[in-house]
Amino acid sequence: MTQEPTSPGQGSNPSAFNFSLMSICFSHYNEKARWAMDYYSIPYTEYRSLPILHMLSMFKFRAKTHPTSGTPFVTPHLTVTPAASDEEDVKITMNDSSKILEFLSDRFSAPPNKTATSTSSPPLNLYSNNSETKAKIVALEERFGTIIGPNVRRLVYSELLCHCPKSVGQSLGQHGNVGALQTWIWTWFFSFFSWVLMRFIRITPESAERSKDILKREFEHLSRVLESGPPGPAYLVGNKFTAADLTLASLGALLVGVTQEDGYGAWVPSLSALRPEAQEFLTELRKTTAGQHILECYRLHRGEKAEGSSYGYSFFGWW
């Protein structure tokens, strides 16, 4: 993240800033950032891309951010600029979904001595203003980012790139997910992109099977945690929705068949488009307590884009 000379403070008004989000449209990591933006009712412009093609979209940002892991083209990439200034040195940039979520929660949640008393009040801090509670939330967020995030990516890419009919993988570039030029390139060069992604993410039948086993055991563990919680609404920390729940729900959404109709921030194939073996596995996860928790989080907390949000396109509106 760059320096923050005009960083907003807790309880800040989002309308005082311009927000731009670079994303890979169907990525679960990017879904986490979108959810955070929508949860705090922040108007933003989202520039959506497809894997590999996103490197062209991100090219001008590659030297301005320094990810702790991955490539210089990592998404999501958020840029925050004071609405009253266009100067380059007052921009805040970050390209990590957890940092984006924490940044937005710290700056745009209700102040510690306030409560969200109406629909016009800022939501409460997703990390809690209590240091001990926040440590528990952050620990779970890091756990999900380590265990669920990469294994979901491997399993989803394995299914969509290797096992589904080619038309299913190609459809990720359709349904309004990206501009017309990206749709055309993705469709015609899909086999090549699949080959590159398979090698970059190191997807093999063995690694995909390991990911299935890891995810199944993690859902079983989380189900036990949720079932053993205190009376009342079942959340991961305390009795309210936190960043831990948001992280689990966004990173695990594709495992339980969440689609755009359920609130996912981009078009993704439904369970019925997958192989019977994949349908069976995802349905099994969907029925667990953890799977039902994800669906409930989408139903109760996903929300819609704030008024003033839009999709951005480049190259004369084709990209």
Side-chain angles (χ1 to χ4, degrees):
M1 192 167 68
T2 63
Q3 57 182 330
E4 302 182 15
T6 56
S7 177
Q10 193 167 30
S12 296
N13 184 356
S15 63
F17 303 88
N18 294 323
F19 298 84
S20 176
L21 183 70
M22 309 288 293
S23 73
I24 292 178
C25 52
F26 59 84
S27 162
H28 55 332
Y29 292 111
N30 292 269
E31 171 67 358
K32 179 179 175 178
R34 280 192 299 254
W35 191 333
M37 303 290 288
D38 298 338
Y39 184 82
Y40 285 108
S41 299
I42 296 174
Y44 63 101
T45 302
E46 183 181 2
Y47 294 87
R48 300 179 295 177
S49 300
L50 291 161
I52 301 178
L53 296 177
H54 79 287
M55 291 189 286
L56 296 175
S57 305
M58 286 290 297
F59 188 78
K60 69 177 181 179
F61 298 105
R62 72 196 188 286
K64 299 178 182 179
T65 51
H66 304 281
T68 55
S69 62
T71 75
F73 306 103
V74 68
T75 62
H77 182 285
L78 178 67
T79 301
V80 185
T81 310
S85 175
D86 292 325
E87 296 181 20
E88 193 73 21
D89 61 352
V90 298
K91 289 184 178 180
I92 304 166
T93 62
M94 61 200 79
N95 58 350
D96 177 274
S97 59
S98 293
K99 291 186 182 299
I100 290 172
L101 177 54
E102 184 175 18
F103 171 83
L104 297 177
S105 188
D106 285 347
R107 272 65 173 187
F108 300 106
S109 61
N113 59 338
K114 300 288 184 180
T115 57
T117 56
S118 70
T119 55
S120 60
S121 302
L124 298 177
N125 192 323
L126 284 170
Y127 288 90
S128 175
N129 292 302
N130 177 279
S131 58
E132 184 178 345
T133 302
K134 180 175 180 178
K136 294 178 181 178
I137 294 170
V138 170
L140 283 172
E141 184 182 23
E142 292 176 350
R143 176 188 178 98
F144 301 151
T146 301
I147 297 176
I148 296 180
N151 285 296
V152 168
R153 181 177 65 172
R154 182 177 295 112
L155 194 60
V156 168
Y157 274 131
S158 174
E159 181 65 24
L160 296 179
L161 302 182
C162 301
H163 300 298
C164 284
K166 190 176 180 180
S167 59
V168 176
Q170 290 172 324
S171 67
L172 293 169
Q174 302 165 9
H175 304 280
N177 270 357
V178 291
L181 182 57
Q182 285 198 66
T183 297
W184 184 88
I185 296 173
W186 179 260
T187 300
W188 283 100
F189 296 94
F190 177 75
S191 296
F192 170 72
F193 292 147
S194 297
W195 181 85
V196 173
L197 288 167
M198 292 284 290
R199 279 147 185 80
F200 180 75
I201 304 175
R202 299 176 182 175
I203 299 174
T204 64
E206 294 76 19
S207 67
E209 199 61 34
R210 283 196 301 273
S211 289
K212 282 181 64 175
D213 183 59
I214 290 170
L215 291 167
K216 182 178 180 180
R217 285 188 279 111
E218 182 67 5
F219 267 59
E220 290 172 348
H221 165 72
L222 292 172
S223 293
R224 290 192 294 271
V225 170
L226 290 164
E227 291 164 1
S228 63
Y235 291 108
L236 290 165
V237 180
N239 60 352
K240 66 178 183 178
F241 183 73
T242 69
D245 301 286
L246 188 153
T247 300
L248 170 62
S250 55
L251 297 187
L254 298 178
L255 286 180
V256 297
V258 173
T259 64
Q260 196 170 36
E261 288 70 28
D262 302 310
Y264 201 80
W267 185 91
V268 290
S270 64
L271 285 178
S272 60
L274 308 180
R275 293 179 302 152
E277 297 93 321
Q279 290 184 40
E280 181 180 357
F281 178 68
L282 298 190
T283 300
E284 179 184 350
L285 295 183
R286 185 184 178 98
K287 291 179 179 178
T288 65
T289 301
Q292 290 299 303
H293 180 64
I294 290 173
L295 296 174
E296 190 73 352
C297 285
Y298 264 88
R299 186 179 71 83
L300 295 177
H301 302 288
R302 179 58 180 88
E304 299 179 352
K305 288 186 181 297
E307 183 178 352
S309 294
S310 62
Y311 295 116
Y313 298 90
S314 55
F315 197 66
F316 308 103
W318 287 84
W319 192 266

